[in-house]
């Protein structure tokens, strides 16, 4: 199907962009709706402060303003909003370069609507076929299942395979078992979900501190 000999597959959240950017985008959307509906001001700033302090933001929002809405209502806005997120310059440069000599793909866990909105906002379809964008809600397989990874091995046989992610606890179990090269993008302090006790070095993966270092590890 392809003459390219390398297949490079990415995780999405906290790998190709920072998930906190999505969270803050959702908070702005929610704040705008709350302010419009209830005639309030400064809602986003308070939500941001509560989040930084580790509060239950949605419960604090409801309690502080005595809102006649539920946490599920707020979650629905959070998950369905069209996010104001984008690829940073380093990530865009990496994808531009890799796209010239490798097949690119995506394996991500999450809800279809939520992840599709992120993918569209980031413009990832310019770099990868839709058939190579695998979302757990659509495929029925969450990491660390091997099935999404086998998709690429069957679609592009006899290639060299790479997976880039950020979570050593689940991202690299399947690709390591299947003989892929795993590359862990280390947390720069901004990841929403911090690494658990599992360290990348213990999972047999390469590590990079910034996304611009990834291309040097794809040989």
């Amino acid at each position: 199907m392809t003459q390219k000999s390398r297949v490079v597959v990415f995780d999405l959240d906290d790998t190709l962009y920072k998930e906190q950017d999505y969270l803050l985008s959702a908070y702005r959307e929610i704040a705008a709706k709350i302010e419009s509906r209830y005639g309030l001001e400064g809602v986003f700033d308070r939500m941001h402060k509560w989040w930084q302090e580790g509060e239950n933001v949605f419960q604090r929002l409801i309690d502080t303003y005595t809102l006649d809405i539920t946490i599920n209502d707020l979650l629905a806005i959070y998950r369905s909003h069209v996010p104001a997120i984008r690829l940073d310059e380093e990530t865009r440069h990496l994808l531009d370069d890799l796209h010239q000599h490798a097949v690119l793909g995506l394996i991500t866990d999450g809800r279809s609507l939520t992840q599709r909105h992120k993918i569209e906002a980031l413009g990832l379809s310019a770099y990868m076929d839709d058939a190579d964008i695998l979302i757990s809600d659509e495929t029925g397989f969450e990491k660390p299942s091997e099935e999404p990874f086998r998709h690429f091995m069957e679609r592009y046989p006899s290639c060299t395979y790479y997976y880039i992610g950020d979570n050593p606890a689940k991202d690299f179990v399947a690709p390591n078992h299947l003989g892929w090269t795993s590359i862990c993008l280390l947390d720069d302090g901004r990841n929403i979900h911090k690494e658990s006790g599992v360290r990348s070095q213990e999972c047999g993966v390469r590590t990079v501190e910034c996304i611009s270092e990834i291309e040097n590890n794809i040989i």
Side-chain angles (χ1 to χ4, degrees):
M1 182 176 294
T2 178
Q3 295 182 347
K4 296 176 179 177
S5 62
R6 299 176 184 86
V7 176
V8 183
V9 184
F10 290 86
D11 174 47
L12 179 59
D13 301 305
D14 279 330
T15 298
L16 286 176
Y17 83 106
K18 289 299 180 181
E19 191 173 0
Q20 69 171 253
D21 292 342
Y22 178 86
L23 177 144
L24 295 176
S25 172
Y27 282 5
R28 289 187 181 93
E29 179 87 2
I30 291 168
K33 290 181 181 295
I34 295 298
E35 289 175 349
S36 176
R37 178 172 173 179
Y38 296 95
L40 299 170
E41 295 181 352
V43 174
F44 171 77
D45 290 338
R46 299 190 79 169
M47 292 176 71
H48 190 195
K49 179 175 180 291
W50 292 331
W51 173 66
Q52 291 177 315
E53 295 172 348
E55 297 273 3
N56 183 327
V57 175
F58 291 166
Q59 192 62 61
R60 283 295 305 271
L61 183 62
I62 292 169
D63 293 343
T64 299
Y65 295 108
T66 318
L67 304 180
D68 57 344
I69 56 178
T70 68
I71 288 178
N72 284 338
D73 293 330
L74 297 173
L75 282 173
I77 300 172
Y78 186 100
R79 293 167 177 165
S80 64
H81 91 288
V82 177
I85 58 176
R86 61 182 178 83
L87 298 173
D88 64 29
E89 184 175 348
E90 285 187 337
T91 305
R92 187 177 300 280
H93 181 72
L94 173 69
L95 295 178
D96 283 340
D97 283 354
L98 288 179
H99 189 235
Q100 302 302 313
H101 59 81
V103 173
L104 302 186
L106 189 76
I107 296 175
T108 177
D109 290 345
R111 293 172 176 80
S112 178
L113 180 63
T114 300
Q115 301 304 81
R116 286 290 174 185
H117 279 165
K118 295 173 185 177
I119 290 163
E120 182 177 358
L122 296 171
L124 296 182
S125 294
Y127 301 101
M128 52 193 73
D129 290 345
D130 191 62
D132 293 330
I133 296 174
L134 306 186
I135 302 170
S136 63
D137 192 34
E138 299 174 359
T139 65
F141 297 103
E142 292 186 355
K143 291 176 286 187
S145 170
E146 294 182 1
E147 292 303 318
F149 297 90
R150 291 187 183 279
H151 161 89
F152 289 96
M153 299 175 76
E154 294 170 1
R155 185 166 161 85
Y156 305 105
S158 303
C159 288
T160 305
Y161 309 97
Y162 300 83
Y163 189 67
I164 294 95
D166 68 285
N167 187 343
K170 68 173 185 175
D171 279 343
F172 310 117
V173 176
N176 281 2
H177 186 258
L178 293 171
W180 292 38
T181 297
S182 297
I183 302 172
C184 179
L185 178 62
L186 296 177
D187 183 1
D188 63 359
R190 293 183 292 154
N191 288 15
I192 284 184
H193 305 292
K194 304 302 179 183
E195 287 185 9
S196 63
V198 182
R199 296 297 302 174
S200 53
Q201 292 86 347
E202 299 169 358
C203 296
V205 306
R206 302 177 184 180
T207 59
V208 295
E209 294 187 356
C210 60
I211 201 160
S212 61
E213 297 176 4
I214 288 173
E215 192 166 10
N216 291 334
N217 285 270
I218 297 174
I219 56 177

